[in-house]
Amino acid sequence: MADNRELVISRILTAVVAEALRIESEGVAGADDIDRAMQFGALFKKPPFAYAKEKGKQEIDAVIKKYF
Amino acid sequence: MEVRRIGVLGAGTMGGEIVFVATQAGIPVTMKDIEQKYLDAGIEKVKQIYSFKVKRRRMSQEEMDQKLGLVQTTLDYAPFEDVDFVIEAVPENLELKRKVFRELEQVCKPGAILASNTSALSISRIAEATTCAERIIGMHFFNPVSMMRLVEVIAGEQTGTEIVEKTCSLSEQIGKTPVKCSDSAGFIVNRLLCAAMREAVRCEREGLLTREEIDNALVKPDAGLPTGLFKMADQLGIDLLYRVMSILEEAFGERFSVPPEISELYNKGEFGIKSGKGFYNYG
């Protein structure tokens, strides 16, 4: 159960990272702006690029590869 | 260019709160709607927010009265000749917004900036109904406007750079934090919230956790959301969520396909708190 909890949080927040990376690569908004938007528009304490930095590229890439 | 008067079009939930925020910053506002009862409800909303502050001793009654004195209401466009900046907050219908922006172009002074609070429609598609697309922009506020700092500032295909800058300046003047983004479906926040929502639904569908467990997990410090996603959907309204998700599906395809669980709730009219039932049951 605790494992599922961590897994679910990881999948949901990484889903946001994956989509945030697309927003950035499409030139819709920059990384800092995306994080600022999620902080002040959705009250996320861990906006996507900050979360990705916290987890590290390897882990994020692994989760994206497995689930997205 | 100093914004000496703001015109707010639409006295609904968002309109009333935008009037509050503008007057709070000391800017005179003209609020327009199509029926007196909507204007009355809008003014009530503004008074409600100010009264709450007075009650909490964050402002005096005199200050509140002074701020309310900055509001002019109208059923007619004529007073909009004096406004420098319009914020449109009418219902989310492309044809309606196109019509309204054509009207604004006719009525307002040539330098007035015309902003739309749309969350779901394209600024460019609205602007192309006019001949002044360069001064039309998106200024997307978040609910409740009196509390949420973010404004997404959305340049349409033709929006002038200086219009973007002036809109960001005004946002800051009224105490908001502007973030620029292009005219792309869902802008930033709605698109990312929908991505999160889809994954939450998928995790539940796979039997990893129940929705209650998912929501409980999401508000813990290691996830850091202000509220659970299923709860948020019920608060926002499943009808609204379905609409936004459909727009994202149309724009981005399969990876934003509307989950059957959400379509089902939508088709049954189970829109969340306002319907007494959504992802959760109420009452």
Side-chain angles (χ1 to χ4, degrees):
Chain A
M1 194 49 78
D3 280 345
N4 276 355
R5 235 189 48 96
E6 263 182 56
L7 175 60
V8 168
I9 290 174
S10 170
R11 281 175 57 172
I12 292 172
L13 291 184
T14 306
V16 178
V17 173
E19 195 61 31
L21 287 167
R22 285 194 194 91
I23 291 177
E24 189 192 27
S25 71
E26 289 165 14
V28 169
D32 287 345
D33 280 345
I34 292 168
D35 271 12
R36 197 169 301 122
M38 292 312 278
Q39 187 188 349
F40 295 116
L43 305 178
F44 271 36
K45 293 208 175 72
K46 297 186 182 230
F49 290 93
Y51 176 75
K53 195 165 175 189
E54 179 193 315
K55 290 290 164 187
K57 186 172 176 3
Q58 253 187 323
E59 186 176 330
I60 295 289
D61 284 350
V63 177
I64 290 180
K65 189 166 175 169
K66 187 165 182 189
Y67 296 103
F68 301 104
Chain B
M1 178 204 90
E2 197 202 328
V3 176
R4 277 166 305 198
R5 176 169 287 274
I6 292 176
V8 174
L9 207 57
T13 322
M14 295 297 254
E17 297 241 358
I18 292 167
V19 169
F20 163 77
V21 156
T23 52
Q24 165 91 309
I27 305 175
V29 177
T30 303
M31 179 167 66
K32 182 188 180 296
D33 212 310
I34 55 174
E35 280 187 50
Q36 189 60 44
K37 64 180 184 185
Y38 299 140
L39 286 176
D40 293 342
I43 291 294
E44 252 329 288
K45 170 107 258 189
V46 180
K47 281 184 181 164
Q48 230 176 57
I49 305 171
Y50 275 120
S51 296
F52 189 71
K53 286 194 178 288
V54 170
K55 214 165 272 173
R56 289 294 198 86
R57 300 187 194 286
R58 288 205 196 106
M59 83 171 22
S60 66
Q61 186 63 47
E62 292 81 59
E63 277 178 281
M64 170 173 162
D65 293 339
Q66 192 259 326
K67 300 290 187 195
L68 288 175
L70 294 171
V71 185
Q72 173 193 36
T73 60
T74 181
L75 292 170
D76 193 73
Y77 268 122
F80 270 54
E81 289 168 7
D82 287 336
V83 311
D84 303 302
F85 198 107
V86 175
I87 301 172
E88 168 275 306
V90 310
E92 291 279 26
N93 176 291
L94 182 61
E95 270 327 299
L96 175 60
K97 289 195 195 276
R98 286 162 65 101
K99 167 175 170 284
V100 149
F101 274 82
R102 274 194 297 266
E103 288 168 350
L104 289 168
E105 180 178 12
Q106 292 306 309
V107 162
C108 299
K109 50 176 109 156
I113 294 176
L114 310 176
S116 175
N117 177 50
T118 187
S119 60
L121 301 166
S122 160
I123 301 302
S124 310
R125 299 291 82 75
I126 294 170
E128 65 191 14
T130 72
T131 65
C132 63
E134 73 287 349
R135 55 190 173 96
I136 292 176
I137 192 162
M139 197 179 183
H140 182 217
F141 291 86
F142 287 78
N143 205 2
V145 178
S146 50
M147 295 204 293
M148 296 296 278
R149 267 175 70 172
L150 182 71
V151 175
E152 285 173 325
V153 174
I154 303 122
E157 283 154 17
Q158 315 259 46
T159 308
T161 338
E162 72 292 355
I163 302 297
V164 175
E165 294 318 312
K166 283 171 181 170
T167 304
C168 289
S169 279
L170 180 66
S171 302
E172 284 166 345
Q173 199 184 336
I174 60 176
K176 298 303 178 198
T177 300
V179 166
K180 296 178 201 176
C181 73
S182 342
D183 190 15
S184 169
F187 310 135
I188 300 166
V189 176
N190 282 346
R191 182 170 164 182
L192 293 180
L193 283 177
C194 284
M197 184 81 238
R198 289 188 84 258
E199 190 56 23
V201 168
R202 190 164 76 138
C203 288
E204 187 195 38
R205 187 189 304 140
E206 290 176 13
L208 291 173
L209 291 176
T210 64
R211 59 191 59 163
E212 290 87 353
E213 287 166 338
I214 294 173
D215 276 0
N216 286 337
L218 287 170
V219 299
K220 296 281 190 316
D222 52 343
L225 264 65
T227 157
L229 286 167
F230 294 97
K231 183 100 226 166
M232 200 185 290
D234 278 356
Q235 284 167 354
L236 185 79
I238 305 271
D239 47 339
L240 216 70
L241 176 66
Y242 179 84
R243 260 193 84 238
V244 175
M245 281 191 163
S246 302
I247 286 165
L248 291 171
E249 180 173 1
E250 196 182 316
F252 300 114
E254 182 59 38
R255 79 165 189 283
F256 270 106
S257 63
V258 183
E261 293 87 346
I262 292 175
S263 299
E264 190 181 320
L265 288 173
Y266 177 75
N267 291 326
K268 289 199 283 189
E270 289 168 6
F271 296 156
I273 293 177
K274 63 189 177 192
S275 306
K277 189 171 202 263
F279 280 114
Y280 297 110
N281 294 326
Y282 303 91

